[in-house]
Amino acid sequence: MSDDAPSLSVDEFVDYCRTQAGLLSGQVQTMGDEADELLDEIDEEMAEIRTRLGERGVGPTTPSSTERPTGDEIDLEAIEELQRDLEEKQLLVEAKQARMQAFQDLAAGYTDLATELDAVEDGHDAMERVVRFEADHDAPAYFDERQTMYEAAAKSDDSSGPSPDVE
């Protein structure tokens, strides 16, 4: 290592990991709020379906009869459309929940890594561990507006190679 090279502090990498974990946790909270809104919409639409069916005398409170309601009495198309909308929103909630779990897992990984780095004495070793962790866990996919150390290292490797104009 040359005298001009900056010294790397393990504490900075520990802080970085904790910051990343915190950012991921914040995103999980936001996704949770969005999922709650979708669940509220699902509840409202379920109530709408019940109301529509109840207005037409269809449902568990109606005594059974040999006569079935005609299409004029129940707007089956509208109810089916509401049901399709409900199913779509339920799939969105499930996808959000899976995404939230992935973000929580990565946040926990960053937290564990920060704890491991506390025992590391060499800043370069700490940096290599963080970069390897982010590569192994596809961390850049979780950060839209923030560059990860892995991305910075990859960009640095690309720019340190020979330029295309060099023969």
Side-chain angles (χ1 to χ4, degrees):
M1 182 161 106
S2 75
D3 293 335
D4 295 341
S7 82
L8 300 174
S9 164
V10 173
D11 289 340
E12 290 177 281
F13 295 107
V14 170
D15 288 343
Y16 170 83
C17 290
R18 290 185 179 140
T19 299
Q20 296 293 82
L23 292 170
L24 290 166
S25 294
Q27 289 177 311
V28 168
Q29 180 64 44
T30 300
M31 286 185 273
D33 293 344
E34 292 167 357
D36 288 345
E37 288 175 18
L38 282 172
L39 290 170
D40 289 344
E41 290 176 24
I42 289 170
D43 288 344
E44 290 170 11
E45 290 177 17
M46 288 294 294
E48 174 69 19
I49 290 172
R50 282 189 212 100
T51 301
R52 286 186 183 196
L53 291 174
E55 288 173 355
R56 302 296 183 194
V58 177
T61 59
T62 304
S64 63
S65 153
T66 57
E67 293 182 24
R68 298 184 62 171
T70 65
D72 295 336
E73 295 172 5
I74 299 174
D75 187 354
L76 289 177
E77 254 182 60
I79 291 173
E80 287 173 350
E81 185 176 327
L82 281 171
Q83 183 179 356
R84 282 190 298 272
D85 190 40
L86 278 174
E87 290 170 356
E88 183 179 310
K89 286 181 180 176
Q90 287 170 334
L91 289 173
L92 284 172
V93 168
E94 290 173 13
K96 277 198 182 296
Q97 289 171 334
R99 192 164 187 242
M100 287 168 59
Q101 185 62 52
F103 275 64
Q104 288 171 332
D105 292 346
L106 185 59
Y110 270 113
T111 301
D112 292 345
L113 180 59
T115 301
E116 290 174 23
L117 293 179
D118 275 333
V120 173
E121 294 182 17
D122 178 45
H124 288 286
D125 183 33
M127 180 184 68
E128 287 175 11
R129 288 184 189 205
V130 170
V131 170
R132 191 174 332 117
F133 171 84
E134 290 183 340
D136 291 347
H137 293 88
D138 194 24
Y142 294 81
F143 296 96
D144 295 333
E145 298 178 10
R146 180 176 169 103
Q147 184 179 41
T148 62
M149 292 190 66
Y150 170 70
E151 290 171 304
K155 189 181 282 187
S156 173
D157 285 347
D158 290 345
S159 66
S160 66
S163 118
D165 298 330
V166 176
E167 295 182 44

